Amino acid sequence: MQAQINSHAHLNALTTEHLSANGLLDWLAANQLTLIISGLALLALLLLVIAVRLFRHASQAGLRKFNPRSVLQRSARDVPHSGTTGWTLTDITGQVIQIVPLPFTIGRGAGNTLVLEDPSVAIRHAIILNDPSWDSLTIEDLDSASGILIEGQPTRHNLLQPGMHLTIGRYSFAVDKPAQRNSP
């Protein structure tokens, strides 16, 4: 045991014997500029990695320019119910679905106006309502786990406009409204 203590003491003496008291401080002072440049280069590399990841995420989400009027902060309970609207949903196969009657419910359950067979779609997933103040329709997510996407962006409540793309689960639809004719 005494031999081990003496060998540890000898090892400590060897390591401290070759370093001067200010060796580390002298080395830091001599290499200060190199250390600053290396630190800044690492920071720039980190920022570049973050920017690339954000760009990839934005590209995957399909960022689009939004009309600021498209976001609506009204509750479905505030919107009056209506009859025939002329609005349609067109799926990727070209099948046209009339958005009638309103309220128009979408979900996996049999009691919905539009039934989507997809496990990621909630039993009562979303509802489309008439909003006469905007002369348009609104869609509201009914607290589903997977949500709804408008133009690839998640939303809880949104004003629908002709030409928009709506995604619920694995189903995608184009929203359309026939052009209104002016009366003579």
Side-chain angles (χ1 to χ4, degrees):
M1 184 75 168
Q2 184 66 22
Q4 284 182 336
I5 294 173
N6 286 341
S7 68
H8 286 301
H10 187 265
L11 182 61
N12 288 338
L14 286 175
T15 52
T16 57
E17 187 176 347
H18 296 297
L19 289 177
S20 67
N22 294 327
L24 180 60
L25 294 176
D26 291 341
W27 183 85
L28 287 173
N31 294 300
Q32 183 179 12
L33 184 60
T34 304
L35 290 172
I36 290 172
I37 291 172
S38 298
L40 289 174
L42 286 174
L43 183 60
L45 182 62
L46 178 65
L47 290 173
L48 180 64
V49 167
I50 291 170
V52 166
R53 286 184 180 214
L54 287 173
F55 179 75
R56 283 184 183 164
H57 177 70
S59 296
Q60 290 170 352
L63 287 177
R64 308 269 196 286
K65 292 183 179 179
F66 281 98
N67 181 347
R69 290 178 43 167
S70 67
V71 178
L72 191 64
Q73 298 298 325
R74 294 175 64 182
S75 167
R77 292 174 296 282
D78 297 336
V79 180
H81 298 226
S82 175
T84 306
T85 64
W87 288 76
T88 60
L89 296 173
T90 306
D91 70 8
I92 59 171
T93 66
Q95 179 182 359
V96 177
I97 302 157
Q98 296 291 323
I99 304 177
V100 289
L102 292 177
F104 186 88
T105 58
I106 303 170
R108 196 177 68 237
N112 290 293
T113 314
L114 177 59
V115 177
L116 302 177
E117 298 294 329
D118 180 357
S120 68
V121 174
I123 292 172
R124 284 190 38 90
H125 198 100
I127 188 167
I128 297 177
L129 299 161
N130 184 34
D131 188 347
S133 64
W134 289 91
D135 190 28
S136 189
L137 300 178
T138 60
I139 187 164
E140 184 175 344
D141 181 28
L142 299 175
D143 296 324
S144 65
S146 59
I148 55 178
L149 302 176
I150 300 287
E151 300 298 334
Q153 297 299 307
T155 186
R156 304 300 280 167
H157 195 168
N158 212 89
L159 186 70
L160 294 178
Q161 297 175 357
M164 281 186 159
H165 292 91
L166 165 69
T167 304
I168 298 176
R170 62 182 168 94
Y171 293 90
S172 293
F173 303 96
V175 179
D176 197 19
K177 180 181 181 183
Q180 293 186 2
R181 297 182 186 134
N182 292 336
S183 299

Short mmCIF file of all heavy atoms in Angstrom, two decimals, residues 53 55 65 73 90 106 132 144 163 170 184:
data_model
loop_
_atom_site.label_atom_id
_atom_site.label_comp_id
_atom_site.label_asym_id
_atom_site.label_seq_id
_atom_site.Cartn_x
_atom_site.Cartn_y
_atom_site.Cartn_z
N ARG A 53 -31.64 23.12 -41.55
CA ARG A 53 -32.76 22.35 -41.00
C ARG A 53 -34.07 23.13 -41.10
O ARG A 53 -35.10 22.57 -41.45
CB ARG A 53 -32.49 21.95 -39.56
CG ARG A 53 -31.48 20.85 -39.46
CD ARG A 53 -31.31 20.41 -38.04
NE ARG A 53 -30.32 19.35 -38.00
CZ ARG A 53 -30.35 18.36 -37.16
NH1 ARG A 53 -31.31 18.29 -36.27
NH2 ARG A 53 -29.44 17.44 -37.19
N PHE A 55 -34.77 25.46 -43.30
CA PHE A 55 -35.12 25.52 -44.72
C PHE A 55 -35.74 24.20 -45.17
O PHE A 55 -36.74 24.20 -45.87
CB PHE A 55 -33.88 25.85 -45.55
CG PHE A 55 -34.16 25.90 -47.02
CD1 PHE A 55 -34.82 26.98 -47.57
CD2 PHE A 55 -33.79 24.86 -47.85
CE1 PHE A 55 -35.10 27.03 -48.93
CE2 PHE A 55 -34.06 24.90 -49.20
CZ PHE A 55 -34.72 25.99 -49.74
N LYS A 65 -47.72 31.76 -49.35
CA LYS A 65 -48.12 33.09 -48.90
C LYS A 65 -49.60 33.04 -48.55
O LYS A 65 -50.40 32.53 -49.32
CB LYS A 65 -47.87 34.13 -49.97
CG LYS A 65 -46.41 34.36 -50.22
CD LYS A 65 -46.19 35.44 -51.23
CE LYS A 65 -44.71 35.67 -51.44
NZ LYS A 65 -44.45 36.68 -52.43
N GLN A 73 -60.93 34.27 -36.18
CA GLN A 73 -60.92 33.96 -34.76
C GLN A 73 -62.33 33.84 -34.19
O GLN A 73 -62.58 34.20 -33.07
CB GLN A 73 -60.15 35.05 -33.99
CG GLN A 73 -58.71 35.15 -34.38
CD GLN A 73 -57.93 33.89 -34.10
OE1 GLN A 73 -58.18 33.21 -33.13
NE2 GLN A 73 -57.00 33.56 -34.98
N THR A 90 -62.95 18.79 -54.14
CA THR A 90 -62.56 17.85 -55.19
C THR A 90 -61.35 17.08 -54.70
O THR A 90 -60.33 17.68 -54.35
CB THR A 90 -62.22 18.60 -56.50
OG1 THR A 90 -63.33 19.43 -56.85
CG2 THR A 90 -61.94 17.62 -57.62
N ILE A 106 -66.98 16.40 -41.06
CA ILE A 106 -66.00 15.50 -41.67
C ILE A 106 -65.39 14.66 -40.56
O ILE A 106 -65.00 15.19 -39.52
CB ILE A 106 -64.90 16.28 -42.41
CG1 ILE A 106 -65.50 17.21 -43.47
CG2 ILE A 106 -63.88 15.34 -43.03
CD1 ILE A 106 -64.51 18.19 -44.07
N PRO A 132 -71.61 34.30 -43.24
CA PRO A 132 -72.14 35.33 -44.12
C PRO A 132 -71.38 36.65 -44.04
O PRO A 132 -71.38 37.41 -44.99
CB PRO A 132 -73.59 35.48 -43.67
CG PRO A 132 -73.68 34.85 -42.34
CD PRO A 132 -72.56 33.89 -42.21
N SER A 144 -59.12 17.41 -33.01
CA SER A 144 -58.60 16.12 -33.46
C SER A 144 -57.12 16.02 -33.13
O SER A 144 -56.44 17.04 -32.96
CB SER A 144 -58.81 15.97 -34.96
OG SER A 144 -58.04 16.93 -35.65
N GLY A 163 -59.90 27.60 -54.46
CA GLY A 163 -58.53 27.31 -54.86
C GLY A 163 -57.64 26.80 -53.74
O GLY A 163 -56.54 26.32 -53.99
N ARG A 170 -54.98 11.31 -44.64
CA ARG A 170 -54.30 11.05 -45.91
C ARG A 170 -55.10 11.57 -47.10
O ARG A 170 -54.74 11.36 -48.25
CB ARG A 170 -54.03 9.56 -46.08
CG ARG A 170 -55.24 8.68 -46.11
CD ARG A 170 -54.86 7.19 -46.24
NE ARG A 170 -55.98 6.33 -46.00
CZ ARG A 170 -56.77 5.85 -46.96
NH1 ARG A 170 -56.54 6.15 -48.21
NH2 ARG A 170 -57.79 5.08 -46.66
N PRO A 184 -79.12 40.60 -64.49
CA PRO A 184 -79.28 41.80 -65.34
C PRO A 184 -80.16 42.82 -64.69
O PRO A 184 -80.90 42.64 -63.84
CB PRO A 184 -79.90 41.27 -66.61
CG PRO A 184 -80.37 39.88 -66.36
CD PRO A 184 -79.75 39.43 -65.09
#
